[in-house]
Amino acid sequence: MEIIRTPRMMREIIKDLKAKSKSIGFVPTMGALHEGHLSLIRRAKDDNDITIVSIFVNPIQFGKGEDFDRYPRDFDTDCEKIKNFGVDYLFYPDAKILYPEGYSTFVNVENLSNKLCGKFRPGHFRGVATIVCKLFNIISPNRAYFGQKDYQQTLIIKRMVEDLNFDIEIIVCPTVREVDGLAMSSRNSYLSEKEREAATVIYKALKEGERLLKAHEDPREVTNKINEILKEERLVKEIQYAGVFDPLTLDEAKEKKNNYLIAIALKIGDTRLIDNILVEVN
Ligand code: PAF
């Protein structure tokens, strides 16, 4: 695995790979790699000749008072984790190179970016779309891999790829969960033992929501039930949103249909956690 620190160097390698008609699979990450990231890397390896992973904690997708400074960073452990996966290149740029003084260009995917997480993290998706756009321009992958846990992010990136005419296939891989159902996330490391236990309420609420929707309950009733379950957990400090939504528009589902997104964002202590599942009703 070769570690590349600059866009210029990365581009030279890409030029060479393209000249040899190699297909490129790309897994963008912010490091603190866990089994969820590893599942994306495995899939990229299966689908492509060359696999490139990036590690970059993107400052512009964190708002004021968010966890940019304490976001877990452990480059050596990350390298150790992926070294046996057959990753060909690890792109590990510096913030000063990607955002030099005078940097002024941002990508804003309107509409979708203002819903769900966007309401509570203003500017977050503008930061995500901007960095993903920059990484796509540098790496020009054939395919890029994202986890379903960040469902809204995947919709926004798909929209951006369509709108900006990127010739890149976006592949969304299933959320990887702990045995008790908690979605794997780099932020789970912030949780105390008690908080970690309390966090299992999220998956419980999602699964109960799924059961009720499949029993043809009204989605608004299901939203109420999900909120009741979450409120029963004493350590849930703030429910930012929780309920049943349209999987394409992210608007609240107000009537029965065949496809739903159940999505939750809440705080346990100071830790913000998100999760979702897609439900298909026959
Ligand atoms: O999902 C993430 O880890 C980040 O939002 C991403 C896509 C790597 C952009 O910084």
Side-chain angles (χ1 to χ4, degrees):
M1 182 174 78
E2 215 177 305
I3 297 168
I4 311 298
R5 301 294 318 257
T6 65
R8 187 192 296 179
M9 190 62 205
M10 193 73 252
R11 270 188 208 287
E12 271 173 31
I13 291 166
I14 300 292
K15 209 164 132 193
D16 190 49
L17 292 169
K18 297 267 176 194
K20 293 179 182 143
S21 299
K22 300 283 188 195
S23 63
I24 298 172
F26 174 45
V27 182
T29 82
M30 298 205 297
L33 302 178
H34 51 67
E35 199 43 53
H37 298 111
L38 300 182
S39 73
L40 303 181
I41 296 173
R42 268 188 217 107
R43 177 74 196 273
K45 280 289 299 169
D46 285 349
D47 293 350
N48 302 281
D49 300 322
I50 298 291
T51 299
I52 302 180
V53 174
S54 65
I55 294 183
F56 180 65
V57 185
N58 176 33
I60 68 164
Q61 71 185 71
F62 290 80
K64 275 203 189 92
E66 291 190 350
D67 56 344
F68 175 69
D69 289 333
R70 71 172 185 137
Y71 195 84
R73 293 163 172 88
D74 190 347
F75 185 67
D76 292 342
T77 308
D78 284 343
C79 286
E80 196 57 35
K81 280 189 187 152
I82 55 175
K83 80 170 189 233
N84 297 324
F85 273 77
V87 170
D88 298 281
Y89 299 97
L90 176 58
F91 184 46
Y92 182 50
D94 197 274
K96 287 197 193 87
I97 294 188
L98 289 190
Y99 300 118
E101 224 181 287
Y103 186 89
S104 317
T105 305
F106 298 89
V107 178
N108 191 30
V109 178
E110 292 186 0
N111 200 10
L112 282 174
S113 297
N114 302 327
K115 298 177 182 178
L116 301 183
C117 289
K119 283 191 191 151
F120 299 89
R121 305 188 68 188
H124 168 67
F125 289 115
R126 173 186 188 253
V128 170
T130 301
I131 190 62
V132 172
C133 184
K134 282 167 71 69
L135 292 168
F136 282 180
N137 277 327
I138 295 165
I139 292 171
S140 304
N142 299 77
R143 300 178 189 86
Y145 297 81
F146 298 86
Q148 194 200 302
K149 188 177 86 68
D150 298 301
Y151 180 81
Q152 186 173 9
Q153 168 171 283
T154 66
L155 276 195
I156 288 169
I157 289 166
K158 282 183 187 165
R159 185 76 257 164
M160 178 188 81
V161 161
E162 179 86 20
D163 290 353
L164 298 185
N165 308 93
F166 280 107
D167 189 11
I168 300 173
E169 191 184 346
I170 301 302
I171 296 175
V172 180
C173 299
T175 303
V176 178
R177 300 182 179 282
E178 304 282 358
V179 277
D180 58 10
L182 181 68
M184 294 217 180
S185 161
S186 307
R187 291 190 168 98
N188 291 351
S189 65
Y190 299 156
L191 298 168
S192 70
E193 211 175 302
K194 285 219 164 82
E195 289 172 340
R196 167 67 186 78
E197 215 178 297
T200 56
V201 74
I202 301 171
Y203 191 59
K204 269 186 220 135
L206 290 174
K207 290 304 279 182
E208 179 59 6
E210 178 185 46
R211 191 186 69 76
L212 293 170
L213 288 172
K214 287 196 164 170
H216 304 282
E217 280 274 351
D218 183 288
R220 282 168 299 190
E221 288 304 315
V222 180
T223 291
N224 292 340
K225 182 69 195 164
I226 288 169
N227 280 275
E228 269 172 35
I229 295 172
L230 296 173
K231 281 178 190 154
E232 274 165 24
E233 173 48 66
R234 211 174 38 85
L235 293 185
V236 170
K237 202 169 85 177
E238 178 193 347
I239 301 172
Q240 294 193 336
Y241 60 81
V244 184
F245 303 92
D246 181 292
L248 296 178
T249 64
L250 304 180
D251 291 329
E252 201 186 324
K254 292 191 174 142
E255 56 201 43
K256 291 188 186 175
K257 40 178 119 188
N258 293 331
N259 292 288
Y260 302 103
L261 167 76
I262 311 179
I264 296 175
L266 52 72
K267 279 190 172 177
I268 293 189
D270 289 334
T271 307
R272 184 176 186 276
L273 299 172
I274 59 170
D275 199 355
N276 68 81
I277 49 175
L278 289 165
V279 181
E280 204 182 315
V281 179
N282 300 322

